[in-house]
Amino acid sequence: MSHVPVMLSEVVRLLAPRSGGVYLDGTFGGGGYATAFLEAAPCTVWAIDRDPEAIARGASLAARFPGRLHLINGRFGDMLDLLAERGITTLDGVVLDLGVSSFQLDDPARGFSFRSDGPLDMRMGSGGPTAADLVNTLPERELADLLFELGEERASRRIAREIVTARGQAPIASTARLASIIRGVMPPDRSGIDRATRSFQALRIRVNDELGEIERALDNASRLLSPGGRLIVVSFHSLEDRIVKRFMADAAGRAPSPSRHDPRGLTTRAAPRFRLLTARPLRPGTAETTANPRARSARLRALERAVGERAP
Ligand SMILES: C[S@@+](CC[C@H](N)C(=O)[O-])C[C@H]1O[C@@H](n2cnc3c(N)ncnc32)[C@H](O)[C@@H]1O
């Protein structure tokens, strides 16, 4: 199955690519967003993906837009350095479409899916510990905390206990075995959501340091944007969205109330350097969620660097 870009028309409308503009697609994936930007205006797109397979797939698109699409295999949390090495220090827009792509999810060999059997890997890129390394080595307590904090899994303690018992018999090496251990802990609920969903999400976030990546990316992006430049982020669960929401609110000057030593905030509150474009997150319409269930949990937030402001 190919990857269907989520909230594509909203993203293109907010980015508003213009002739000569330079944009970063920090999550190239199947190239759905990048293609739309390149088609919308004679602009240049830099595209990052930590997955070498996504970058390799992008070669034909780069050939279709000679000199206008530049592909980089790396992490979006390193965008400032990755672009500086290539002589790029300012951008007219940055877009992040968080999470995994259908290419990754649907390939059992990548180990993301509890629906099919494969090695328990879950790395979007190469290098670093796999999900199997975590479930086979973390102390029970740490495993439980991880499932609770990154998966919001209420049965985290029981699942961690079962994992530790099971790995004592033989290392847990496959997605199917891990999923069956988790399912054995709780009865199915009426929601129809697979019982392994939250634990798999937690492991994936930790294996790829997804929340740390988002924090670094938002900071990097805010330094790269030129006046009028826009940052657009599509997130898929509350942990991601919370980080994006806070960052954007702070950047736009909606910081917590000023200090009691300076109640009017005269010294602490500089004029906002950014403007929120989405007071509330945009959500996909029903037509999109019906056609593409992956879009159901999407939330889009956008920020603009104020005109007349320079990057810090
Ligand atoms: C949801 S897909 C993006 C789909 C894309 N917008 C499209 O239209 O085809 C997310 C992609 O981001 C990549 N990714 C996730 N975290 C990343 C990170 N920290 N750095 C670079 N790429 C990342 C994944 O490898 C995946 O290919």
Side-chain angles (χ1 to χ4, degrees):
M1 192 183 87
S2 69
H3 186 94
V4 183
V6 171
M7 299 187 78
L8 179 64
S9 57
E10 291 87 344
V11 169
V12 175
R13 178 177 60 77
L14 280 162
L15 188 71
R18 60 169 176 77
S19 173
V22 181
Y23 303 95
L24 173 69
D25 177 352
T27 50
F28 179 70
Y33 283 5
T35 307
F37 305 156
L38 290 160
E39 284 173 351
C43 59
T44 303
V45 175
W46 290 82
I48 295 177
D49 203 296
R50 70 194 292 178
D51 187 343
E53 290 180 20
I55 296 300
R57 262 193 317 268
S60 57
L61 191 61
R64 213 180 113 200
F65 294 96
R68 293 180 50 206
L69 172 63
H70 306 281
L71 298 162
I72 305 174
N73 184 205
R75 297 172 177 219
F76 56 54
D78 297 330
M79 67 172 81
L80 205 54
D81 291 341
L82 292 170
L83 292 170
E85 285 161 13
R86 290 156 176 90
I88 302 296
T89 52
T90 58
L91 292 168
D92 299 304
V94 175
V95 179
L96 298 174
D97 177 17
L98 301 173
V100 282
S101 69
S102 313
F103 293 104
Q104 293 164 330
L105 208 53
D106 295 344
D107 179 358
R110 303 296 301 267
F112 288 104
S113 176
F114 43 79
R115 291 204 180 85
S116 45
D117 197 12
L120 191 52
D121 190 319
M122 298 197 194
R123 289 171 304 171
M124 290 188 207
S126 46
T130 63
D133 293 329
L134 296 181
V135 297
N136 289 304
T137 60
L138 283 183
E140 182 178 329
R141 179 73 190 267
E142 255 183 72
L143 203 48
D145 289 347
L146 160 63
L147 301 180
F148 184 73
E149 284 160 21
L150 300 182
E152 299 173 285
E153 174 55 74
R154 277 178 299 159
S156 57
R157 305 233 164 276
R158 276 185 292 144
I159 294 173
R161 197 177 318 131
E162 279 310 306
I163 286 176
V164 169
T165 307
R167 78 189 185 193
Q169 286 145 16
I172 303 167
S174 73
T175 53
R177 179 153 177 243
L178 178 63
S180 109
I181 294 165
I182 298 166
R183 291 183 192 123
V185 170
M186 343 164 233
D189 64 20
R190 266 171 291 163
S191 70
I193 295 172
D194 192 296
R195 288 156 283 167
T197 307
R198 287 184 291 272
S199 298
F200 270 61
Q201 173 190 302
L203 287 165
R204 196 200 85 199
I205 293 174
R206 170 72 181 273
V207 163
N208 297 291
D209 184 22
E210 291 181 31
L211 303 183
E213 277 293 306
I214 296 170
E215 278 172 3
R216 288 187 287 279
L218 296 174
D219 175 70
N220 277 214
S222 69
R223 293 164 196 274
L224 281 160
L225 286 180
S226 53
R230 292 176 167 189
L231 169 62
I232 300 163
V233 186
V234 180
S235 59
F236 291 89
H237 55 76
S238 56
L239 299 172
E240 292 174 339
D241 185 55
R242 197 174 307 153
I243 296 173
V244 178
K245 179 181 172 180
R246 285 204 185 134
F247 178 87
M248 290 194 174
D250 283 357
R254 297 204 184 166
S257 53
S259 127
R260 74 190 154 87
H261 304 295
D262 178 21
R264 287 193 297 152
L266 293 178
T267 55
T268 49
R269 278 201 141 170
R273 294 170 296 125
F274 292 90
R275 184 168 73 91
L276 267 183
L277 298 175
T278 49
R280 288 163 176 277
L282 304 188
R283 309 291 309 265
T286 347
E288 178 168 4
T289 52
T290 311
N292 180 15
R294 197 184 93 83
R296 243 177 253 157
S297 49
R299 285 185 169 74
L300 184 158
R301 295 186 188 269
L303 190 70
E304 181 183 77
R305 176 176 283 281
V307 177
E309 293 285 339
R310 279 193 323 210

